[in-house]
Amino acid sequence: MKLNKILATCLTLVAASGAFAANPITLKVGDNWGNTHPMAAALDTVFKPMIEKGSNGAIKVDVYHSGTLGNEADLWNGVRNGTIEVAVIGSGMNQEYPTMLITDWPFLYRDLNHAKKVWTGPIADELSAGFHQKFPTTHVLGWGPNSARTFTSNKKLTSVADFKGQKFRMPSNPIHVGIAKNLGASAQVIPLGELFSALETGVVDGQDNGMVTVISEAFYEVQKYLYETNHIIATLEVIVSAPFFDKLSAEHQKVIRDAAKAASVTAWDNYIASVDKDRQFLKSKGVTVTAVTEADRQKIIEMLKPLTDKLYADHTWAKPLTDKIKAVQ
């Protein structure tokens, strides 16, 4: 009898501490990257444990990588329609909300640390508020790194001159498509989940993504050259469904917000720390990696001027926002 009382007391204390919940809320998270991508890894190592611990087990987080819950369009539709609680995606919604083009603006940052300061600071918070106004069924909780984008190809690609005539897979985004065309190449829009096959079979010669994605998606197995242009430092947004989020307690909302911000910062730090290692890994796999020279970088910027001039002309928000971003120290 005494033992039973002790066990009952222990169970009561455990339950009171929230170490487990009889009916936890399940939060599904979907992304399109392998679990080695810094943003995907941060979901596993920071976002999930912080929420489960911070909610005392009242919220259970299930993370699904590599497009398990669908491609980016599926994830975006799911989170805005409430069938997925959280999606980590890029800027595929930019045709509905052109301000999101800022996350793919070419040659906007001094370096990766500058980009991190922008997307973990006040500008990110301001853009999150504007995003919610445009898409009231969602909230942006964090802005993590996608990567500094580079070009890869099966054809020689070691200088600006090599772009001419090549076929590149580009995201469904006018900036990316415009970059390829302005460099003398052609662009074909292919979902990320179908890209490996397209590269392997020669549907396209190459693609643009960060080295971290080239590794996590094993593109190095079907690409020979990587040209380290770093033309875009892209973000990944942690987006939560508002109908799910808004019905939570203020305490649980704070737990999720804090976890998203912490995961984003961790992902930026780990991504920045990984660049040199990723470059060496790709070289070890036989990929010819070429850093863009300052002369070629300036040539690329000049070749892209018709694109950026049009962006400034088409969007009144663009000049003030890019100036504000460039001023971040």
Side-chain angles (χ1 to χ4, degrees), residues 24 73 76 87 112-113 116 121-122 139 158 167 228 234 249 276 290 318:
W76 168 232
L112 290 171
N113 281 302
K116 177 195 169 185
H139 298 284
T158 59
K167 297 179 295 182
E228 202 174 343
S249 68
D276 290 341
T290 303

Side-chain angles (χ1 to χ4, degrees), residues 151 155 162-171 176-190 203-208:
F151 280 95
K155 294 182 179 179
D162 294 329
F163 284 105
K164 189 172 182 179
Q166 294 207 39
K167 297 179 295 182
F168 289 96
R169 175 269 181 182
M170 304 299 280
H176 290 265
V177 171
I179 286 173
K181 291 181 177 178
N182 276 255
L183 292 176
S186 61
Q188 186 169 340
V189 175
I190 299 170
V203 172
V204 288
D205 301 310
Q207 57 86 51
D208 88 313

Side-chain angles (χ1 to χ4, degrees), residues 13 22 34 49 77 86 114 116 144 152 220 223:
L13 290 171
N77 287 328
V86 173
H114 179 202
K116 177 195 169 185
T152 67
Y220 58 86
Q223 297 279 266

Side-chain angles (χ1 to χ4, degrees), residues 45-123:
T45 62
V46 179
F47 188 71
K48 174 181 169 71
M50 275 190 68
I51 291 173
E52 293 182 343
K53 182 178 180 180
S55 70
N56 291 321
I59 303 175
K60 178 176 179 287
V61 179
D62 293 333
V63 182
Y64 299 87
H65 298 303
S66 301
T68 303
L69 299 183
N71 61 31
E72 279 209 325
D74 298 326
L75 293 175
W76 168 232
N77 287 328
V79 75
R80 69 191 298 195
N81 295 331
T83 58
I84 299 171
E85 286 75 37
V86 173
V88 181
I89 58 176
S91 58
M93 70 295 293
N94 62 68
Q95 293 183 10
E96 291 181 81
Y97 187 42
T99 303
M100 287 300 291
L101 291 170
I102 195 64
T103 66
D104 294 291
W105 204 274
F107 297 104
L108 182 56
Y109 310 97
R110 294 183 299 276
D111 52 30
L112 290 171
N113 281 302
H114 179 202
K116 177 195 169 185
K117 288 179 182 178
V118 170
W119 294 111
T120 58
I123 290 176

